[in-house]
Every structure is written in structure tokens, then in C-alpha cells.
Amino acid sequence: MARQREFDEEKALVAAMQLFWEKGFEATSLSELTSRMEIQRPSLYAAYGDKKGLFEAALRKYTSAHAAHIRSSLQSFSSAKEAFRVLFEELAAKGHGKNPNWGCFCINSMVEMAPHDEKFEILTREHQMYLSVIFQETIERGQRSGELGSDLDAKRLAQTLVVSLIGLTVILKSRPEQAFVDRSVEGILALLG
């Protein structure tokens, strides 16, 4: 019979995710993790195997929540152009808000881990492709309604918008001038026609 966990896994995983997001994989120690998660090392090992297993679980939790948020946000507007405008403008506004240096946990992981670990290369690439599918669905919805031109290559445009989202997220970590960000968002949105 499997022993029941003696800690709140959801709460502990969120705490680990926030710490990894803030500091990155390498800079986060096991002591910091167990302290923030309010668990002992044996519990961490029993639940996640090791630090990398915990990082993977945290990243999977993040990408799932992030994709669901993006999908929900885009679907909440009948206008595809409006949906993308709000998405990119909110991202730009967040970049000048609380903890802009944290960026996106998935993008941080892509930069830190993917070049050195095939598992994280695949995991972060899967998230990019999933976002591309969500964006493509929104573009195709705009094409069906007549809001977006039928001559647009929905898949190519979706992938370009994902690259733009990633680029904007990364550049926001350097706290660029707001005018620079605003002009960039206008340029990204102009791709929709």
C-alpha cells in the first residue's frame, strides 16, 4: 500500500515553481527548495526523485497553466485582432510591473536548460508548438468571420506571433523604454493586417 504524502503537494509544487522561476535551476539549492516548500529532503526525493525531477514537474505545471490562460484569454474575445491586441498589450504592461526580471518560466528554462538537456529542449519546444496551435486557431477563427484575410498563412503567422511573444517577454527583462515596447507591440499587431 502506497504511503500517503505528508504535505500538500500542490502548495509545495507551486512554492518550488516560484523559486525556480525567480532564481533558475542552477542557482536554486536543495536547502532553499525544502525550506520554501516546507518539506524535508526525503519527502522531496520520494515525491519527485531529485531536483531535476522537481524542476520538470514545476515546469510542466507552469506550461499547462500558461497555455490554459492564453487559450482562455484569446477565446474571451469575438474579435481575433482584439484578442491578440489585449494579449500583447497586457504582456507589455506586465513587463513594467512586479518582478519583470522573472520573465516567463518556460522561456527562462528554454534559455538555461534546453541547450544542455534534451528533455527540457523537447518540453519547451512542445510548449512553443502548443501556443502556435492556440494562436493558429484564433487566426483561423478571424479568417472564418472575415475579420482577417483568407490569404494569410495562419500557421506561419501563428508561429511568427509565438516568436514575437517570446522575444517581447525576453526584452522586457531589460526594462526597455515604454515607447520602444509600444512601437514593437504595434509592429507585431500589424502582422494581422
Side-chain angles (χ1 to χ4, degrees):
M1 179 179 201
R3 214 172 118 188
Q4 185 153 352
R5 303 260 188 252
E6 296 177 6
F7 63 94
D8 181 337
E9 284 187 79
E10 178 71 13
K11 181 181 170 191
L13 188 56
V14 168
M17 180 183 72
Q18 290 172 338
L19 186 59
F20 280 134
W21 191 352
E22 180 183 341
K23 297 185 75 171
F25 177 78
E26 290 297 332
T28 302
S29 71
L30 280 173
S31 296
E32 290 171 311
L33 284 166
T34 55
S35 175
R36 181 82 63 97
M37 295 170 73
E38 299 178 353
I39 64 173
Q40 301 298 313
R41 281 190 191 200
S43 296
L44 185 150
Y45 292 128
Y48 304 103
D50 59 11
K51 179 180 165 185
K52 195 174 276 189
L54 174 59
F55 186 85
E56 180 182 351
L59 182 57
R60 286 186 185 280
K61 178 169 188 53
Y62 176 85
T63 57
S64 176
H66 184 250
H69 171 73
I70 296 281
R71 181 181 291 281
S72 174
S73 175
L74 292 176
Q75 288 178 343
S76 67
F77 295 91
S78 57
S79 163
K81 285 184 178 181
E82 181 72 3
F84 282 115
R85 184 188 65 72
V86 169
L87 177 72
F88 279 94
E89 287 181 354
E90 284 183 355
L91 174 63
K94 277 185 199 170
H96 289 279
K98 184 181 173 189
N99 302 319
N101 56 321
W102 286 22
C104 167
F105 183 37
C106 185
I107 294 170
N108 296 348
S109 302
M110 181 177 55
V111 172
E112 181 184 15
M113 302 292 286
H116 315 291
D117 190 309
E118 185 178 11
K119 178 183 282 186
F120 293 102
E121 174 190 335
I122 292 167
L123 212 156
T124 57
R125 186 172 51 236
E126 285 173 349
H127 186 57
Q128 296 162 34
M129 292 302 100
Y130 190 63
L131 292 180
S132 294
V133 168
I134 295 169
F135 283 13
Q136 184 176 340
E137 290 170 353
T138 305
I139 293 163
E140 289 170 347
R141 179 168 46 91
Q143 289 176 313
R144 285 191 301 275
S145 74
E147 179 186 16
L148 299 178
S150 58
D151 59 324
L152 289 174
D153 182 331
K155 184 174 184 175
R156 179 180 297 162
L157 178 55
Q159 291 174 348
T160 302
L161 291 174
V162 169
V163 170
S164 299
L165 181 82
I166 292 169
L168 183 59
T169 302
V170 171
I171 205 162
L172 285 169
K173 291 178 78 161
S174 71
R175 300 176 191 259
E177 290 183 14
Q178 188 64 47
F180 178 87
V181 174
D182 293 342
R183 284 191 302 273
S184 299
V185 168
E186 286 173 18
I188 293 165
L189 296 174
L191 297 171
L192 295 166

